[in-house]
Amino acid sequence: MKLQILTLLLSVSLSLSLTEPVPPPPHADLVGNARWMVKFSNVSILATQSSFLDGFPFGQNKDVADGLYNEKLSSGIPYIYTSHLEIQAQDVMKDPKVTFSYSSEFTHWCNDNGVDNDDPRCGKVMLSGEMEKVTDDTEITWAKYGMFARHPATKQWPVSHGFAFYKLNIKNIFVLDFYGGPTMHLNVTEYLDYKFDW
């Protein structure tokens, strides 16, 4: 019985270590905080220029993936898996300019630490750029690796609906992770080249 309990506790501990994010970097590390939010978020709010509500932006929560929680493999680039039948996919075909919005609240860190979502200490990052369909076989494999692990249901979505992977070519990064106002133009190269140990 004791052995069974020990095995169960070990399994739970291992499961948590694979899914629970580490704490975010110090707030002075803006690039690190941006990468942390993207790595440890399963969802993001995608904003497009609506093709059916003329003149209005359109926002929707989307499954995203950037590798796995428990690995140091992470690109900092949002990948989504969507069908050409989906509303925002049609928006992107008309105008590829979009923004992905992330919050530390999406990782549960803010709630777990008693920090309100609108508190500046609950980090936010907005990645703006242009969407591009992923066509390279190696990159498609990478996209599947993260998406199907984080969102297992997506693996079963019908092929007949034309699902495909898309990624963001980042043009601008907006970050807020503390009092004093946001950084509106974080260096994209520095963001993509950032090295981390979590």
Side-chain angles (χ1 to χ4, degrees):
M1 184 65 176
K2 288 183 179 180
L3 181 59
Q4 289 175 320
I5 293 173
L6 182 60
T7 302
L8 176 62
L9 291 174
L10 182 60
S11 298
V12 170
S13 175
L14 179 59
S15 174
L16 289 173
S17 71
L18 295 178
T19 58
E20 288 295 314
V22 299
H27 71 83
D29 184 2
L30 282 174
V31 179
N33 270 282
R35 287 293 301 268
W36 181 87
M37 281 182 265
V38 173
K39 177 179 172 63
F40 290 113
S41 293
N42 278 332
V43 297
S44 178
I45 305 299
L46 174 60
T48 56
Q49 186 64 33
S50 179
S51 58
F52 72 97
L53 290 174
D54 192 38
F56 287 89
F58 187 77
Q60 179 174 219
N61 58 307
K62 295 292 290 182
D63 289 344
V64 289
D66 181 25
L68 302 184
Y69 284 125
N70 58 313
E71 294 183 341
K72 296 179 182 178
L73 300 173
S74 174
S75 65
I77 298 171
Y79 285 82
I80 65 171
Y81 188 51
T82 191
S83 163
H84 64 276
L85 302 173
E86 197 268 334
I87 291 172
Q88 286 192 303
Q90 295 176 34
D91 294 346
V92 167
M93 286 187 279
K94 185 175 180 180
D95 184 349
K97 296 183 179 69
V98 305
T99 294
F100 282 87
S101 296
Y102 292 83
S103 168
S104 294
E105 179 65 25
F106 298 169
T107 72
H108 306 295
W109 183 88
C110 300
N111 182 66
D112 291 348
N113 287 274
V115 180
D116 186 81
N117 177 67
D118 277 348
D119 189 313
R121 295 171 298 168
C122 184
K124 291 107 180 135
V125 58
M126 278 65 88
L127 305 178
S128 299
E130 297 187 0
M131 293 299 287
E132 175 186 315
K133 187 175 181 179
V134 180
T135 56
D136 178 77
D137 288 343
T138 301
E139 194 170 7
I140 290 173
T141 299
W142 161 253
K144 287 180 177 179
Y145 177 70
M147 183 63 68
F148 294 165
R150 290 183 185 234
H151 308 281
T154 60
K155 193 174 182 179
Q156 309 303 323
W157 289 354
V159 176
S160 61
H161 287 198
F163 281 94
F165 285 98
Y166 291 80
K167 69 176 181 179
L168 180 68
N169 286 322
I170 302 170
K171 304 296 184 183
N172 188 75
I173 303 172
F174 178 110
V175 184
L176 176 66
D177 70 353
F178 203 68
Y179 304 113
T183 296
M184 293 184 287
H185 304 291
L186 200 68
N187 185 284
V188 175
T189 301
E190 186 180 353
Y191 168 85
L192 293 173
D193 290 345
Y194 184 82
K195 306 300 180 186
F196 55 86
D197 58 5
W198 23 263

